[in-house]
Amino acid sequence: ASPSKIPLCVSLSSHELPDMATACQRLVDSGCLPAAQLPSGRGRFYGTCSRWLTSRLKAGAVVLAKQRPSPLHLPEKDIPVIMVGAGAGVAPFRGFWEELKRGPQSAPAALFFGCRNPEQDWLFKEEMSGAVKLAATGCAALNRMQVGPKRPLTCLFTAFSRPGEGKQGQYVQDQIRAQSQSVKHWIEKGSGMVYICGSTAMGNSVLDALAELLEGGRDFVDTLKKEGRIVAEFWG
């Protein structure tokens, strides 16, 4: 059994490797298994694959799936890491900050995340926010809050395209431009890596923004891609 086409290919959201029983239990706990009637209104969200799994896949069916190595993996060197993900494109970066939390890296790690509405579409909101370092301050009480599990993200920049309440929408490429000085420094002076995951339209817009702010423009961006310093995973 197979759907006509499920073109979404995205790296896993965690570097943990649970056994099949654990993975299946997580699907049960999340409501994806067993197949059930789809909720009405804005209840649980079903994507292309999860909708097919819960409404069309039958017991005993054979599923043809392809596994391929992900191009998204952290650099071995301790260099700046810039992550750009919109919507479900943030999934592999959850694995990144988990790995950074356990590792010795000290170079900046910045996450640019975008979605439609912060109250309805912000994936991993609490976990993501909890991974960001607290700003340096002279307050002893706040400094004590830094003690505990490592906070791997140096900074988090969010962009919401439909924030509501008359607020102006933004996209991740807008935040890239807004933080151009830091992005430029991390890439040009720090020899940093850029990871982009999400829709093709979003990814191309991010590449355009990088071409605008980096010395050498589009040619330099193309060179960074060839050298493996810009790694992208797009779909759609």
Side-chain angles (χ1 to χ4, degrees):
S2 65
S4 57
K5 185 179 183 182
I6 295 183
L8 177 61
C9 296
V10 64
S11 299
L12 298 177
S13 63
S14 174
H15 285 197
E16 297 176 359
L17 298 174
D19 57 29
M20 184 59 69
T22 302
C24 289
Q25 186 59 49
R26 289 181 180 178
L27 290 174
V28 172
D29 294 341
S30 66
C32 290
L33 290 176
Q37 183 178 357
L38 297 178
S40 58
R42 291 191 60 85
R44 184 176 298 281
F45 176 79
Y46 284 79
T48 301
C49 187
S50 57
R51 183 181 295 275
W52 177 75
L53 284 171
T54 57
S55 62
R56 294 179 57 187
L57 187 62
K58 306 299 181 182
V62 176
V63 178
L64 300 180
K66 181 180 180 181
Q67 182 183 14
R68 60 175 174 77
S70 170
L72 302 175
H73 53 83
L74 287 170
E76 295 181 0
K77 296 180 179 179
D78 189 10
I79 57 177
V81 173
I82 302 170
M83 299 161 275
V84 186
V90 75
F93 303 133
R94 179 173 180 264
F96 273 29
W97 73 63
E98 286 180 353
E99 187 171 337
L100 288 169
K101 186 184 297 184
R102 298 191 294 268
Q105 293 89 339
S106 60
L111 174 61
F112 291 80
F113 170 71
C115 64
R116 291 186 177 183
N117 185 281
E119 303 303 324
Q120 300 173 357
D121 308 301
W122 190 340
L123 300 174
F124 310 121
K125 180 178 181 179
E126 293 184 4
E127 184 178 347
M128 187 186 301
S129 300
V132 183
K133 289 182 174 65
L134 299 176
T137 173
C139 176
L142 286 178
N143 288 337
R144 284 195 295 271
M145 291 176 63
Q146 298 278 19
V147 177
K150 180 181 177 181
R151 293 173 178 256
L153 299 179
T154 306
C155 42
L156 168 65
F157 303 106
T158 55
F160 307 111
S161 60
R162 300 178 185 177
E165 299 180 357
K167 298 179 182 177
Q168 185 174 359
Q170 279 191 323
Y171 296 91
V172 285
Q173 58 267 29
D174 297 322
Q175 282 286 22
I176 292 285
R177 293 185 176 94
Q179 304 300 325
S180 60
Q181 186 174 354
S182 294
V183 172
K184 182 180 174 70
H185 177 78
W186 291 329
I187 296 175
E188 295 181 353
K189 304 299 184 182
S191 300
M193 294 277 296
V194 181
Y195 300 89
I196 311 170
C197 187
S199 70
T200 300
M202 179 279 296
N204 287 334
S205 295
V206 170
L207 293 175
D208 289 341
L210 291 174
E212 292 175 13
L213 64 93
L214 295 175
E215 295 291 339
R218 176 62 64 176
D219 289 341
F220 185 48
V221 168
D222 291 340
T223 298
L224 292 176
K225 291 171 64 178
K226 292 177 181 178
E227 293 177 348
R229 288 181 54 200
I230 293 181
V231 183
E233 190 172 74
F234 300 158
W235 66 80

